[in-house]
């Protein structure tokens, strides 16, 4: 169909949910004959019988089973768009919101975010899910309310809003040789380094920038998180390279310095599914995250 009748989506949702023309007709306040005509139109549009007779009832075809979930989501999205916004009583809001982000964000921004949320809604709980849980369907299926991090490849329907920019810096223990004087590319490369990579990669953008200068750093260990890198650097002569804003509290008492090579800043964003756009509680949660990230 060049110009599909979107009302057919609501009819298909009712038919698949009820498994009966008569019950679907009552649900949509139509006559059985009108519902039968609508089913005929759906069959013509999809090129599939969708519901077939089995005894006294109707059963869905494999195509109908495959469509059931998609149609249900499309109808929910449409209903959410047309539903008037509700006024929330935050003092009685009792929900768990799941935010998927890395441990650095939780350590740096988590305490202030929890305090900000509690100030409005004391019964709301936040669940911070690790990035290792990442999968493409989590936002679509509402398993994740909000994702925070560097936006990579996402579906075209995912909403993205930038929160702040961050840059990588070098960090060493107090009294380390690099805590005094100008840190040149040569001095930096001569150190013994910690590489941070969830995938165990030894080289990254910093190594590429050094390579362009004819330099190579020595990576003596690899860890999966910035907290571990800072803990090791604090107790040794190793050099950690970590994002500045993500680790401000975690590197207290240590010496930080600008990297002597050019590396790209990263944009930290929050991502969510458009089905959550109009939900008042979700909008409030996103406002809380924005306020906390803008506060420092």
């Amino acid at each position: 169909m060049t110009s599909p009748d979107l009302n057919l989506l609501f009819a298909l949702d009712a038919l698949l949910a009820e498994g009966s023309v008569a019950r679907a007709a009552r649900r949509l306040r139509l006559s059985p004959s009108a519902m039968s005509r609508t089913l005929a139109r759906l069959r013509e549009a999809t090129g599939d019988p969708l519901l077939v007779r089995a005894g006294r009832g109707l059963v869905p075809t494999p195509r109908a089973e495959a469509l059931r979930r998609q149609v249900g989501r499309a109808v929910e999205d449409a209903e959410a768009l047309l539903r008037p916004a509700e006024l929330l009583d935050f003092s009685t809001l009792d929900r768990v919101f799941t935010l998927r982000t890395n441990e650095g964000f939780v350590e740096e921004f988590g305490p202030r975010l929890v305090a900000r949320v509690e100030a409005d809604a004391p019964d709301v709980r936040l669940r911070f899910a690790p990035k290792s849980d990442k999968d493409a369907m989590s936002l679509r299926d509402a398993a994740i309310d909000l994702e925070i991090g560097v936006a990579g490849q996402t579906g075209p329907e995912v909403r993205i809003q930038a929160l702040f920019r961050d840059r990588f810096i070098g960090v060493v223990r107090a009294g380390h040789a690099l805590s005094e004087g100008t840190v040149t590319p040569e001095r930096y490369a001569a150190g013994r380094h910690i590489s941070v990579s969830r995938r165990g990669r030894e080289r990254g953008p910093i190594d590429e920038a050094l390579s362009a200068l004819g330099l190579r750093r020595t990576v003596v260990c690899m860890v999966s998180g910035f907290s571990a890198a800072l803990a090791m650097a604090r107790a040794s002569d190793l050099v950690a390279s970590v994002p500045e804003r993500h680790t401000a509290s975690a590197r207290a008492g240590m010496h930080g310095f600008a990297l002597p090579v050019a590396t790209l800043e990263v944009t930290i964003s929050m991502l969510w599914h458009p089905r959550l756009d109009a939900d008042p509680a979700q909008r409030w949660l996103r406002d809380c995250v924005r306020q906390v990230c803008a506060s420092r």
Side-chain angles (χ1 to χ4, degrees):
M1 295 185 297
T2 57
S3 181
D5 181 356
L6 297 182
N7 287 320
L8 291 177
L9 288 175
F10 292 88
L12 180 58
D13 183 55
L15 284 164
L16 295 179
E18 300 292 344
S20 163
V21 170
R23 288 196 298 272
R26 286 196 295 270
R27 177 170 169 172
L28 298 182
R29 298 179 182 177
L30 297 174
S31 67
S33 58
M35 196 74 242
S36 292
R37 291 194 295 272
T38 300
L39 176 56
R41 292 178 61 199
L42 282 164
R43 286 167 169 165
E44 181 181 359
T46 61
D48 188 90
L50 298 175
L51 294 168
V52 297
R53 181 70 56 186
R56 296 185 178 181
L58 297 174
V59 295
T61 64
R63 175 76 190 285
E65 289 285 6
L67 289 173
R68 187 195 302 271
R69 194 173 184 181
Q70 293 174 278
V71 171
R73 286 200 299 265
V75 169
E76 287 177 6
D77 287 344
E79 290 174 341
L81 287 172
L82 298 176
R83 187 182 303 126
E86 302 174 4
L87 293 177
L88 279 181
D89 181 358
F90 290 106
S91 65
T92 61
L93 183 62
D94 185 359
R95 288 177 64 173
V96 176
F97 293 101
T98 300
L99 293 78
R100 183 167 59 197
T101 187
N102 60 40
E103 63 179 17
F105 184 91
V106 178
E107 292 171 359
E108 184 62 30
F109 298 96
R112 284 180 286 129
L113 181 57
V114 169
R116 174 66 187 83
V117 166
E118 284 187 329
D120 285 349
D123 291 326
V124 164
R125 284 88 66 208
L126 300 181
R127 173 181 174 258
F128 293 102
K131 284 287 188 176
S132 57
D133 286 353
K134 188 170 184 178
D135 64 86
M137 294 299 294
S138 295
L139 287 172
R140 297 188 184 97
D141 293 345
I144 300 295
D145 294 291
L146 200 61
E147 179 159 354
I148 300 173
V150 178
Q153 294 294 326
T154 63
E157 77 278 15
V158 174
R159 300 284 191 264
I160 303 175
Q161 185 174 67
L163 292 171
F164 60 88
R165 294 181 67 80
D166 208 348
R167 65 166 187 162
F168 276 76
I169 62 172
V171 181
V172 293
R173 63 169 178 80
H176 190 284
L178 291 180
S179 66
E180 298 180 359
T182 301
V183 179
T184 63
E186 290 77 13
R187 288 187 69 200
Y188 175 77
R192 298 166 65 245
H193 293 261
I194 307 165
S195 173
V196 180
S197 172
R198 290 198 305 272
R199 299 179 181 178
R201 293 174 177 170
E202 185 176 347
R203 294 176 58 80
I206 294 175
D207 301 281
E208 294 173 3
L210 287 170
S211 179
L213 299 176
L215 299 171
R216 182 184 180 92
R217 65 175 180 168
T218 299
V219 174
V220 299
C221 66
M222 291 161 280
V223 296
S224 61
F226 299 119
S227 294
L230 288 172
M232 294 189 70
R234 188 186 298 274
S236 69
D237 283 332
L238 298 178
V239 182
S241 298
V242 300
E244 185 174 28
R245 291 194 64 181
H246 271 80
T247 61
S249 299
R251 53 188 169 81
M254 302 180 73
H255 177 75
F257 57 89
L259 292 180
V261 291
T263 57
L264 293 177
E265 288 188 335
V266 294
T267 298
I268 306 303
S269 303
M270 58 180 173
L271 300 82
W272 68 94
H273 195 274
R275 70 169 59 240
L276 305 178
D277 265 347
D279 183 89
Q282 295 282 345
R283 292 169 63 182
W284 163 77
L285 174 65
R286 294 194 294 270
D287 283 341
C288 289
V289 172
R290 277 191 291 266
Q291 292 171 21
V292 166
C293 290
S295 65
R296 58 180 301 177

